Every structure is written in structure tokens, then in C-alpha cells.
Amino acid sequence: MFMHNKKLMYTVRVGETNPALANLMLEQFGGPQGELAAAMRYFTQYLAEDDPGRKDMLIDIATEELSHLEVIGMIVAMLNKGVKAELSEGAMAEADLYVSLGQGNDSHTTSLLYGGGPALTHSGSVPWTSAYIDTIGDPTCDLRSNIAAESRAKVIYERLINVTDDAGVKDALGFLMTREVAHQKSFEKALYSIENNFPSGKLPADPSFADKYYNLSRGDGDIDGDLTGPWNDGPQWERIDEPGLQIAVDGGDGSASVSLSEEEETALDAMAERLSSDPDADVITGADLGAGPGAGKTTKVA
Amino acid sequence: MFMHNKKLMYTVRVGETNPALANLMLEQFGGPQGELAAAMRYFTQYLAEDDPGRKDMLIDIATEELSHLEVIGMIVAMLNKGVKAELSEGAMAEADLYVSLGQGNDSHTTSLLYGGGPALTHSGSVPWTSAYIDTIGDPTCDLRSNIAAESRAKVIYERLINVTDDAGVKDALGFLMTREVAHQKSFEKALYSIENNFPSGKLPADPSFADKYYNLSRGDGDIDGDLTGPWNDGPQWERIDEPGLQIAVDGGDGSASVSLSEEEETALDAMAERLSSDPDADVITGADLGAGPGAGKTTKVA
Amino acid sequence: MFMHNKKLMYTVRVGETNPALANLMLEQFGGPQGELAAAMRYFTQYLAEDDPGRKDMLIDIATEELSHLEVIGMIVAMLNKGVKAELSEGAMAEADLYVSLGQGNDSHTTSLLYGGGPALTHSGSVPWTSAYIDTIGDPTCDLRSNIAAESRAKVIYERLINVTDDAGVKDALGFLMTREVAHQKSFEKALYSIENNFPSGKLPADPSFADKYYNLSRGDGDIDGDLTGPWNDGPQWERIDEPGLQIAVDGGDGSASVSLSEEEETALDAMAERLSSDPDADVITGADLGAGPGAGKTTKVA
Amino acid sequence: MFMHNKKLMYTVRVGETNPALANLMLEQFGGPQGELAAAMRYFTQYLAEDDPGRKDMLIDIATEELSHLEVIGMIVAMLNKGVKAELSEGAMAEADLYVSLGQGNDSHTTSLLYGGGPALTHSGSVPWTSAYIDTIGDPTCDLRSNIAAESRAKVIYERLINVTDDAGVKDALGFLMTREVAHQKSFEKALYSIENNFPSGKLPADPSFADKYYNLSRGDGDIDGDLTGPWNDGPQWERIDEPGLQIAVDGGDGSASVSLSEEEETALDAMAERLSSDPDADVITGADLGAGPGAGKTTKVA
Amino acid sequence: MFMHNKKLMYTVRVGETNPALANLMLEQFGGPQGELAAAMRYFTQYLAEDDPGRKDMLIDIATEELSHLEVIGMIVAMLNKGVKAELSEGAMAEADLYVSLGQGNDSHTTSLLYGGGPALTHSGSVPWTSAYIDTIGDPTCDLRSNIAAESRAKVIYERLINVTDDAGVKDALGFLMTREVAHQKSFEKALYSIENNFPSGKLPADPSFADKYYNLSRGDGDIDGDLTGPWNDGPQWERIDEPGLQIAVDGGDGSASVSLSEEEETALDAMAERLSSDPDADVITGADLGAGPGAGKTTKVA
Amino acid sequence: MFMHNKKLMYTVRVGETNPALANLMLEQFGGPQGELAAAMRYFTQYLAEDDPGRKDMLIDIATEELSHLEVIGMIVAMLNKGVKAELSEGAMAEADLYVSLGQGNDSHTTSLLYGGGPALTHSGSVPWTSAYIDTIGDPTCDLRSNIAAESRAKVIYERLINVTDDAGVKDALGFLMTREVAHQKSFEKALYSIENNFPSGKLPADPSFADKYYNLSRGDGDIDGDLTGPWNDGPQWERIDEPGLQIAVDGGDGSASVSLSEEEETALDAMAERLSSDPDADVITGADLGAGPGAGKTTKVA
């Protein structure tokens, strides 16, 4: 179970209020790469995990991410403290409040709808959704997802640091950014301490297709414009450039088929007949009608 | 630009129609780990990529994923071919069609709303959203996200194979599963051919916090129940077990503060006074009223 | 900041695995009335709250709701423990796994996509969204919202208890249900210890309209069929039955108007002319064309 | 403004309760082709419309759709009347209620979360969203959208009729289906009474591209497999089969370019260098590590 | 299957970078009327289509829309090329980057979250959802939906052209706009080459209600203010103005009813009694309590 | 059924057009606390309600909220009337239209995508969703939800009034705000006229836990910093401060358990072994590889 201590994990010292800056910070509060996504990602993995070591790590880090959510949320609350009170009390003339409300970065929605409170939305006011969480319940996948997620969160914090000149905010963001690096390291160690973690799952890949690279995007008429690198060239790879070898690679006819029952065939035939398009029809259409008697503005009616 | 060949990349031979199985397949058509997510993930990265080699790889693989989307979509179309025609033509008695429609796995929605066509939803009928795509525009992050995504897609295909006994469907799924493995290898190669790809971004981590592991979940009263592993133990790590060292780790007081203007202070004071809760109030509440004259069913137990 | 103890707040003893029952439980894990919604509701209010007593209460209860989220999540994890392992290991014949997967209540999606892990979705597999949280940053509103939310959560738990015959699950659900009652009481007390908490906000209601009840739904031709009760009858109310007194109640003409600049007028006139519908046109339409030469199946072309 | 009459527009006589059938009906209550979507589509168009005749038509039909929403909602309420009361009162043994709740078609969610009330979701329990409404504020587009929407709603009603054998439900559905046909006719008439309604908007199409049909999907190596019809053949069309004429159709080089400032160039060069992939690198990757010492299960490391 | 050519379908020449303009362009990349919606609309219809001619047309146009998605995406990438590199490299002082980031039109989210890459969102940063696609699997409906969709896309392009003064962007937008016109023509031809395409579906409309127009919105007390046009007047229509003829049009009593089993009746009665509102109660409410001892600010307590 | 009168419930007189102000108004049109949410909330409750008095009240108020939706929608339509026509007709130079379009508060999306029409989105352009509606079908819950919803709507109107200086808009907003107060009073009266409305539902709370307050957030090392109030102190409460009494409050061991079948045990053991993390592994990870030959920037600091 969870406990709470009234102190923050990191002290927050904001220089001055700024609702538009607050909304950029929301990206790491209620955005897809933010702390709620991180906390819930690891917390739900912890619940289902059976390996005792990983389970312990997951709840340690989930708990820390909740504490980070509190730090970034407090930054937002501090940056909005002015507009919250002024709007609540109607403390300024309407035109001044209107300006104060709409300083950009969707701060109008944060002020108007959420009263300046930290809302679980991203910086463009879209509500958080658990669709952001990509956990599927296999640790060799989920640890890779966690590694990627931590690297993303690190970079979003870096971008926020790059656009903030408030020293106190920068300081706290630097701590949060660093912890994502530490968490990534933990998840990397946990992944590689599973033997044979690649490929994920139990079923082997089909050797006929596991090492092929299909060169499907062509350069200027020939393939000389196509580039190679370790991702498609070298002893691990067989590169397939020839279009004929890229299609119906199983050697079949490349069609799709299904066996139908007699009843299904009958219904299908009836539907096909009822809804067939006559390829030889000489039809007048709604567009022809709508293009007007004086012939079409944009199309020659013949 | 894109071209299309009327043959599929892999021949699809479905044994018999089955709307409920079709809906399981939707998971890899319009689900979070499915082929549309994959295709759009790599396609949007390709558009913004400046490195010529990675750009070429991204569009090669994006194009292949579109071709996979076509294969899995055709499997769905074949499995639904019966119910589509029968519902369209009203080919059976109502009660029979009702049963046919609702064979489980949300096939009722696929039949009723989409007429048996492959819809871009997951297996539980939730529409696809680009919120599934976690691209942020930094290749050291995005390649890690791609690696994780491919490992997840591989495992979902494995699960589908595990629950399908239609030989033709199994065969095509095996091809699709294998290609996820190949794609993961390409993205791994591309990531590690970027020198110094860890940590992502440009800003260095703060050495004070980069190697610490905060042991925030405690065992039975003491910390002996806590487990160690490469993720929190060893020369790369400093483990912090002591609660006092986990709070306000910057050495501050763990509070949050902001400087306010005089006008902001005034508004805040007015708001605080207007909305203060009296801690010593002896209040009757709506719940007290609602608990009825005969005393509460659940309250005032004392 | 948050800490975690490895013991649950309430011991979970599940009788046997049951994926379809697990999914009903998801309603209180990732559903609109569930524990994540509760925890995030109070946690975000805590961040923005300035009243010290309410702030303390909000974080106490938010922390408890996180601990409830863990309890209900563990129930889900236990109920899915069998299907998770069997699907992961391909432990049964395909046809058996197919049946095991699709036992109803959307358990196919939970198994296939989430590998049997507790996912932040509702019982019908829709992802959790912060759009479920209705906090607006005014305590007299938010406390009312909290009161309502607790009463709803109580009833959903009651429904789950009504459909579960696993004694261990029932026992834990009973605890969780009871705590919602206790939380509702706290929020009621906090609301009523704010003096003059009705109406919310600072601006007074307009006395011309504050006590009127508009009887807008009519009975059988006359208003005798309309019912009265304390909500529209008595000294607090003036009931308006007469249609003429319900329309344009400000005494104006009931129209909408705006002053336009000259440029705006010009553009509007041009648009109006370009897009006017000729009320006297004798037009053939696409539907007329589509109804076929043999006259319409459903419409007399006259 | 709106008024309400306590009688329904069409009398609803349901034979017996059936929660699973109720959920199919939800498709036309809170589904994408349902009555709320219809009512809100026309109501919002009415608000912005400047042509007096169309404005009047739009609010007439919007009001009727609201009345249809009431009819279909009452059907749902009647079909759920049993399960609602039984669940509320705990009127049966748990196992019986569990069975009663989960009769399929997502009725478990409707019962558990919504208490058997008509919820604004589709038949698969996804909440209604205004993203279903495609109004863009141009009448020649919006009327076409309305025409299409009415045709879709007609067909969904037809499917519901096809799977229902309750005579009372069928009767009411037949009325609702028919009204969609009538509404489509009205919108067709309104569209064609706008002169020159094709193409929509004011800007003319570019004659170089307005009549071309690009044959981008090829048959078996040659184009002989491609089919023709009035949509790509005839005096209105110029068909382009030659791949070389389908690419960079403006005659340019088919590349994308932008002029950058000097500062932008500098930043771009720095980024390119920092993040370049070395095409000649001979790299060991995480996948190589994870494939284990005994070489890969699925891939030959060479 | 799909192939890709490294040249674009139309050459993109952007004058200078402009993140705020880029975000307007997102409307046709990841917006509801944009190219992904178009491509997926036709691609999914192609998968389920049985008529060979229509199937061929659908995949031709789907493939072209994917190529358009690439063109508009490249425009976005070019317009953001500066901010992407500058933010990535921290190339400017924080305050300058802050300004550069937030130039309006939600470009702050595109820069911060997506690193300046083309994201599948609309111009207001809402993620793309397949809920935008209204395909239902009946060609007479889907072709009408396609016609409407093309007319909408045409007009959104026209609006973008109207607000852009970059010649290269305007040029490419003009091509894309024109192609929507050509596609609309194809879909019109395909629709009208289906005989008897109106009304959609197989079931005939009920002649009692197919030609009636219900005049449900009334003018100033009488119906003289109501307008007529081809949509409600003429030989095809019977207009119903009389309120009494608009209610319970089936001639029934306009009520809703269902037959209940004895058990259901019992449960319903128990519920009704337990939850009845006493119409004669003289109740004090929470609002009364909250309005304070000094009587209500806004309501007379009597 | 519904009828409509062409007069508004309240006359709308807007001073001048202002697209950015229009978008703030959208908050009460298509936002979570807006009039559509209110109308649909009460309308859906009305459909399922069995108590005749409450049913009548619910449809009276639902009908009024629809009339309010019309009033606020007309305000939006008036404020956008200029930009709608100018954009439609291309009435200004591109650069001027670009400025006109993007005046802030997401008006660019409203103009570009919706053509200046009132769209069912909130002020930050997020589409309305029925996930905003929290009805669960129990009147003692739903009336509390309605009470809370009305108080929230009142405060959002107050905020809009505070930021608007257009006298006509302010006047109409004042009416709408006042009616929310009146509706809240009705719902309060209806709630308290249900005897024993607390707690909601039928099952009694467990007396062991119904009156406990768990003090889970601690002050500075001791609990002296914790505050008391009527919500956790007084005769109704037993406050639990001792951590040992807050954990596993049922007296169990605080673990989660489930009985597994033999087959399940076998599969679980196989999975555990296959996926175990070796706690003693000395592993090189992808991050180690990626940190480069010159040792990590951030790792191995020790």
C-alpha cells in the first residue's frame, strides 16, 4: 500500500507566475510522455509480474514516478497561482482578465475549465488516456517499452529546460530529467538479465523470412539511389531488391480466399448482383447535375 | 509516392468464415500494436528524418507495414465474408441472424456497424487513435520506441497463432510475426550505429542523481524483504534505503513556493478567506440529512 | 512524496481464476467510477488547494485510493493468473486456448492485448481517460463532485458484490465499498464547513430567474398530467406553465443578432448570394436519379 | 427554443426484456450513425446557417431526430427494465445475476456501469464523441454529408430489423428507418436547389489535374488486369497508366525543399552531425546481446 | 501490396520555415477531413469490396491519397525544419526558444511533444481517430460518404489556400485540392452506375411515412413564419403542420411498454418503493444548509 | 417528443464579432461542463427513470438545457459571423485572413475546420464525449451528480462573465448562470425527498471500516503537522494515525493469493522459468553499448 510524506521529493522554487509556461509543463504531467503515464505503466506491470526481483523494481520506480508527478504538478500549481485567484475573485477588469487568461499555449482552457489547477492533459489540452500505455504483459517487451519510454521522457524534459529561464523551474526539471536516465539504466539491466530475451515470446521466427530486408522504396528509376547501412547490409542480412521477389513471397498467387458454405455463397451472389456497378453505364451523376447548366466550372461535361 | 500491386505480399488462404475469430485478428489491424500503428509510426518518422540512411530504411519498412496491413485486413475480410452477405441480404430468419451476429469477441459491433468490413478498431471495438504512436522526433528515442513496438507486435502475433487452428490463417500470421523480428533487428542496428546514443538528447544527466536507486517500496517493516539485482546493485549503483535520504533530496525543505505580485497576493487572500473551511465547525451535512431520522444505516455507529 | 509498503491495505484471497469475472472488476480499476479516477481526482485537487485542512484531507484520501487501486488490481491479476501463463506458454491446444480466451465480458481483449495483466480500461475495454475527472478548481464545486463520485463508486461496488460468489473477492469488495461511504462523509463535512457554500462562486444569481421552474414538458394536451414535488412546488418556487411566458423570457424578441463591420457585411452578402437555395426550384436530385427509371421503390416521383 | 410533449412520436411496444438485444439498439442511440449524431449534426448546422429556408429545414429535422432519440432510447430502457431492477435490488443469487448480466453484446458493461439505463455509447460500449460529426460549415459539403449520413442510418436500422424478431421493436424500427429515407430526400432537394453546387467552394479546380485518373494499382505485371468503368473511362476522363507520368506530375524533381536562415542551417548541421548513423559501422546491438551466447534462436548471427 | 518511389507525387517548394503555418497544414495531415482519413477510408472499403470494378477504383484512389499524405506531410516537415533543429540543439537562449516555440496555432505542442515532426493530429493538437471514418460496408452508403468526404476535403484545402501567401505551398495545395474534385467525380460515377441506389439497402420504406415532412419548428405563434422549398413542398411531399398529427403518428397512445416476468415485476416494485421521491415532503436540503444562516444570497428560504 | 419554437429562450445581442471570444464560449457549448452534457445527462436519466415525479422533472430540465444549448450556440455563431464569411469568400488578402484566423484560444481550428460554425468541442478544440456524463442509473447517485454538475456549470459561466466585456453576451450569460442555480435547487429537493438516501444503494457499509479516517499523509517526521477538521475529527470519526494499523487492516498478511489448477501451476512455472531475471547476472546492456567507448557521459561516474 501507499503512504505519503508532506515533503516533496525535490524542493520547488518558482520565480514568478506564468500560465503559458505552466501549460508547457503539463506535457510532463498529463501528456503521453509524462509522469502519470510512467507511474501507471510500472504500477500495472508490478501488479501482474511474477518474478520477485522485477516486481520489486517496478513498484520502487512506480512509487518514485508518483512522487515526480507531485513535483511537476506543484510546478504547474505555482505557475498558475496568480491567474487562479484573480479569475476566482474577478479581481481585475474583464478586459484585463481576458488578456491574462489567453497568454497562449492553451492556457485559456486551463484557466477557464480547470480554474488554474493542474489538469491531466497534455500541453495542447487533450485529456490523458491509458491508450498511452503500451504494456502487453510480456517482460521482454514491456522492459523494452519502458526503456524507450524513459528515453522519451528524458528528451521532453530537456526540451522544457531549453525553453525555460526560471532558475527554480530549471533546477527541478534537471532532477526529473536525470532520474529518467537512471530508470532507463535499471530497465536495461533487468532486460538483459533475462537470458535469450530476443526475440520476445516463445515461438521462433521463420528462417525463410527472418533475415531478409525488402527494399520497397526505390530511387530514381533504378535502385542505385538506395542506401545501405548495418540495418540492411552485412552478414546478418539478405537484401531483396527485385520487385518480383517482394510480392507473394510465399510463392502463391498473392490472392486472398476463403471457403464458403452453400448458404454463404447464395447470399454473396445475391448481394453481388444487387449491388453491382455497371462498368458500361453512361450515367448522369449528382455532380453532373450540380455543375450547372452552363457546364462545369471545373470539369468539361464533354 | 506510393504504388500498389494487386497481389498481396503473402497469399491468404482462410479455411472457413468465423466472425468471432475475425475480431481477434482486428487487434493487429486497428489495435495499438497493429500494422496501421506500425506503418504510420515509421512513415511519420521518415517525413521528418534528415539522416539519409535512416530515412531510406524508415520508408522501406513503412511501405512493408502497409502491405502487412493489407494482408491482415484481407484475413479479416475473408473471415467475415459470410456474415456480411447474410446480414446485407437478410438471408436468414431474424433469430438465426441474431445468433450469427453475436458469436462473441465483439463481433456484434463489427457486423452491425461495419457490415463485416475490416474496421480500424482493436479487438474490443475501440477506434484506432494516433495516440498509440509515441514518436517524439529524436532518433535515439524513436528507434528505441520502434524496437519496443516490434517486440510487442511479435508477441501479439504469437498469441493469435496460439489461439488459431485455421492452417491458412496460422501460415500468414507466421510470416507477419517473423517480419516483426526482422524489423526489430534493423532498428537495433540503426540505433547502435549512432555513436553515444545513451542517454538520449544532448543535456548530460546530473551526476548527483544519475546513479542512485531509491528503494521506495519497503518489505515487512524492515528492508530485508527487498530484493537486489543488476538493476539496483553493483558498481553502477548507489542504493538509497533510508527514508530520510529519499525526501527532499536536494537538501531543501521539500516545499513548493512561488513569488507573487501584490495584486496576486491580494486576490489569493480574498479567495482563501472566502473559501476557508472552518476546522472547528460543528456541521450538519447533506449525508446527515440523508441518513434519515432513524439514525444512519451506516453512520453514527458509535 | 509517496512511499510504498509491500503489504496490501486489505488481504486478497481469490478462490479460483476467472478471466470473465476479472473483466467486471476492471470497472473499478480503469473505469469511470474506479479507483484511478478517484485517486487522480483528489490528488490533482490537493496540488492546487490553498486551504491547509482540505489540502491535508485530499492527500490522505488520494493516498488511500491509490492503495485501493492496488487491491482491486491485485484481484484482477489473481483472476487472470491462469490465462496469462497458458497463453504465454501456448500451454493448450489452439481450440482450447481460443475458448479459454473468449469467455465473455471482453476478456478476449484483456488476454490478447494485455496478456492478462490489469489494464486501465473499463469492463468493456475502453481506455481510461482523464475526461472522467470533473474537477474545476472551486472547492464548493469540487467537494460536491467528490461527494457524488463516492456515492457512485459505492453503488458500482455493490453491483459487483451482487454478481460475485467468490467469498474472498466479496470480502475485499465489501471493504472497498465501505471506504467510499467513509470518504463521502469526509467530503460532506468539508463542504459544509465552508460558510455560504451555495450557490458556488461569487456572483449572485439573478433574482428574476433564480426561483422559477419552467414546466417545458407537457402532458396530454393540457398540463394536468404534470406532476409536482418539492423540486417545483412550494414557497421557494414560482412555476411557469404558460408557453408564452417560457419563450424569450427577457422580454426581447428572442432573436440573435450581432453588429458587423462593413467588410463583414459585404462578405456575408456575397456568401449568402453564392450559396442561396432557390425555394422555387424544380430540381431533379441524386436521389431521383438513383431511384431508377422504373420510378422509386419507396417514393412516388409523381 | 425546445418544448416537449410527454407522448412519444411513435408508440413503443416491447415484447419482453432482453439486455443483449438492448445493446444492439444502442448503436442507433449513442453510435456513430445514431440519432444523437443526427440531431446534433443538423442542430449545429442550423445555428450557423444564414439561408432562411435551409435554416428552417435544419431545425425541423434536428427536432425530429431528438424525438427519434427518445423513441430508440425508450426501446433500450424497456429491454433493460428487468436487469436494472434485479441488479439494483440484488434480487437473485449472485451466480444467477452474473449470468443475467453477461448475456453478450457488451451488456455486462451497460448493466454494471450504467445500471441498465440507455447510455450514449455504441453497441461495443465506446462513448459517443462529436468527432462523429463531419460538419464543416459549407452547405454544399454539409448537405452532401447529411445525405450520406441518412443513407447510413437507414441501413443500420435495416440491419437491426433483420436481427430482431420482437414485433413491437421491429415496428418502431421500421418507422425510424423510413424517416431517414424522407430526410435524405429533403437534403437532396436542398442541395440541388443551390445552383452550381459542384465542386464545393469557390476556387476552381486546376484543369491540368481535374479530369485525370491515376491508375496506381497494377495488375499482374502489366495493366491488362485493370478494370474500367464510368469512374475512370469515357469523355470526362484522361486515364494515366504510365508510372513515369504519375510521379512528380508537376514536372519538377519530386523533392521537398525549404529555404533556411543561417541560424537554422547551423542548428540543422549540428543536429545532423550529432545524430548521424554511421552506414559502415560494425555494431553489436541489444538484440545481439539478447539473442544469447548460444547464438540466436531465430536468427543466424553469421 | 504497396511499393514506394522516392519522388513525391508533387514537388514541394516551401519559401521559409513557419511552425504556426505548419500546424494549420496538419488539418489535412491528421485532421478529420485530411489525407490519412481519406486513404484509410478507401483502403478499408477496398478490402471488403466484392465488385471488381469498384474494388480496383478504391485501391487506385487509396494509393493516391497515401501519396497525398506524403506531400502534405513533407510541407509540414519543411515548415518545421528550423524549430526542430533549434530546439533539439538548444541553439538559442531559453527566452528566444520559448518565443519561437509558441507562435500560435498550437505549434507549442507540435514542437515540444513531437519535436517538430508531422504528427497525426488536427490543427488543434487532437490525435487522429478512426472514428472519423464512417464506412459501414454498403456501397450505396459508402460511395455517398466518399462523395461528401471529398467535397469537404476540397473546401478545407481552399481555406488553407486562402490563408497562405507562400507561393510554393499554395501551388502544392492547389494540386491536392483539385484531386479531391476528380475523386468526387469518380465516386459519383460509381454510385450512379449501381441501379436503384436509392434508398440504400434492401428493405423498402414504409409508404405511410416516406413522403411526409414534419414541420416541428414553429414561427411566431402561428406557422406563417415557416418557409417552404423543394425539401418540404411539391408533389413529392405531404407537409404535416398540425401538432396533433405529429405526435404518436402510429395512432397509438405514444407510451413505451414492455412485458415483464413476475420476478422482474417484484424486483421493480421493490426498487420503486425503496427509491420513491415523496412529492409532499417538506425537505431541508444541502443547498438550504449551504445557503447560510443569513438566508440565501440568491434564494429566499421562505 | 420534442417541438421547437423559432424564438430563443433568451434574446442574444452581441456587440461585435470576435472569434477568440467565441472559442471561450464553446466551453459551455461542447465542453465537459457545458449545455450538451447537461441536456444529455438529464435526458438519459429521464428515459430510465421509474419514479413519475422525478421523471417529469428530468425531462422538464433536459428540455430547458437544450434551449440553453441553443442560446450559447447562437452566441458563438454571432461572434464568428465575420470570419465565417470572410474565409468562405476569400474576402481578404491571405496574410490578413491568416491573422484573422489565428487570434488565439484555438480559434484557428474553429475557423479552418468548422468554418466558424459552433462545434461541439471545448475551448481547446477537444471533441465532446459522452464520457463526460457520469450517470449510473441509481437516483441517489445521479441526483448528487446532477447537483455537482450544476454547481460546476454555474462557476464556468461566472468565469466567462468575468472575462467578457460585451454587454449583450454578459446579459445572456447571466441568465444561463442563474438557471444552473435554480436547477441545482430542484435536484437537491428531489434527492432529499428520497428517504434514507445515504449511503446510496442497498448494502450497508461494514461498521468496522465506515467511521475510520486513515491519516496516510504524514507531516515532518511526526504527525503533529497533520490537521484536523470535521472531516476527520469528532464523534463520528475514529482517526487511525499509526502506520501499523493502516496496513492489511483486515488482520491478514496483506498478500494476494489465488488457487490455481494443476495445469495453471504448470504453465505458470514454465513461464516463470523462461522469463526469470537472474539477480546475480553481470550484464552488459544496450545502454552500456550506447554510452560509447569513451565511457558514459552519465553512467559509471563512480
Side-chain angles (χ1 to χ4, degrees), chain E residues 79-299:
Chain E
L79 287 165
N80 278 334
K81 204 170 264 302
V83 75
K84 175 185 163 79
E86 287 164 352
L87 187 57
S88 164
E89 300 308 299
M92 296 195 283
E94 292 90 341
D96 294 336
L97 266 176
Y98 177 78
V99 169
S100 169
L101 188 82
Q103 294 180 21
N105 300 343
D106 282 293
S107 60
H108 62 285
T109 298
T110 304
S111 300
L112 187 59
L113 176 56
Y114 303 117
L120 287 165
T121 69
H122 82 358
S123 68
S125 80
V126 171
W128 191 87
T129 163
S130 66
Y132 294 149
I133 299 181
D134 48 24
T135 298
I136 65 160
D138 180 300
T140 66
C141 300
D142 293 344
L143 289 167
R144 284 185 168 91
S145 299
N146 298 355
I147 288 165
E150 293 289 349
S151 79
R152 295 192 302 267
K154 193 272 180 183
V155 165
I156 304 289
Y157 275 124
E158 177 167 336
R159 289 175 186 164
L160 285 172
I161 291 170
N162 278 350
V163 299
T164 312
D165 58 9
D166 182 308
V169 174
K170 265 182 123 74
D171 181 50
L173 294 176
F175 168 72
L176 296 170
M177 180 190 80
T178 293
R179 296 303 300 155
E180 313 295 15
V181 176
H183 295 163
Q184 182 178 343
K185 288 197 308 182
S186 287
F187 293 128
E188 297 257 5
K189 290 292 183 190
L191 172 63
Y192 290 99
S193 62
I194 302 174
E195 211 188 358
N196 288 332
N197 61 64
F198 175 81
S200 294
K202 238 184 122 180
L203 290 181
D206 180 342
S208 318
F209 301 113
D211 303 317
K212 287 196 171 62
Y213 182 94
Y214 292 104
N215 179 20
L216 295 178
S217 171
R218 270 137 237 225
D220 207 359
D222 62 323
I223 62 158
D224 292 342
D226 294 331
L227 298 167
T228 58
W231 46 85
N232 63 5
D233 197 43
Q236 289 193 353
W237 295 111
E238 178 187 0
R239 199 158 97 243
I240 312 291
D241 292 321
E242 184 62 43
L245 299 177
Q246 297 169 340
I247 299 177
V249 295
D250 60 315
D253 64 2
S255 69
S257 59
V258 62
S259 299
L260 298 175
S261 70
E262 203 169 319
E263 286 84 353
E264 289 174 326
E265 285 279 15
T266 306
L268 201 63
D269 290 348
M271 186 180 74
E273 185 179 336
R274 184 169 65 82
L275 294 171
S276 70
S277 282
D278 178 357
D280 303 318
D282 183 13
V283 290
I284 301 295
T285 72
D288 294 327
L289 295 178
K297 287 177 287 188
T298 66
T299 165

Side-chain angles (χ1 to χ4, degrees), chain C residues 70-101:
Chain C
E70 192 182 17
V71 171
I72 189 81
M74 280 295 180
I75 292 173
V76 175
M78 293 301 117
L79 288 165
N80 278 334
K81 204 171 265 302
V83 76
K84 174 184 163 79
E86 289 164 352
L87 186 59
S88 163
E89 300 309 299
M92 296 195 285
E94 291 89 342
D96 294 335
L97 266 177
Y98 177 78
V99 168
S100 168
L101 188 85

Side-chain angles (χ1 to χ4, degrees), chain A residues 248-268:
Chain A
V249 295
D250 60 317
D253 64 2
S255 70
S257 59
V258 63
S259 301
L260 297 176
S261 71
E262 203 170 318
E263 285 85 353
E264 290 174 326
E265 285 280 14
T266 306
L268 202 62

Side-chain angles (χ1 to χ4, degrees), chain B residues 4 6 54 94 106 109, chain D residues 106 123 170 217-218 226 275:
Chain B
H4 183 265
K6 288 193 168 54
R54 284 198 302 266
E94 292 89 342
D106 282 292
T109 298
Chain D
D106 283 292
S123 68
K170 264 182 126 72
S217 172
R218 271 136 236 229
D226 293 332
L275 294 172

Side-chain angles (χ1 to χ4, degrees), chain B residues 1 3-4 6-7 51 54 87 94 98 106 108-109 112-113 115 125 185 188-189 192-193 201-202, chain D residues 20 27 105-106 123-124 159 162 164 170 216-218 220 226 246 274-275 277-278 283 286-288 299:
Chain B
M1 74 169 293
M3 310 289 190
H4 183 265
K6 288 193 168 54
K7 286 188 175 177
D51 185 81
R54 284 198 302 266
L87 187 57
E94 292 89 342
Y98 177 78
D106 282 292
H108 62 286
T109 298
L112 187 59
L113 176 55
S125 81
K185 287 197 310 182
E188 296 257 5
K189 291 294 182 189
Y192 290 100
S193 63
K202 237 184 122 181
Chain D
E27 201 62 61
N105 300 343
D106 283 292
S123 68
R159 291 176 185 163
N162 278 350
T164 310
K170 264 182 126 72
L216 295 177
S217 172
R218 271 136 236 229
D220 205 0
D226 293 332
Q246 295 169 342
R274 183 168 68 81
L275 294 172
S277 282
D278 178 359
V283 290
D288 294 327
T299 165

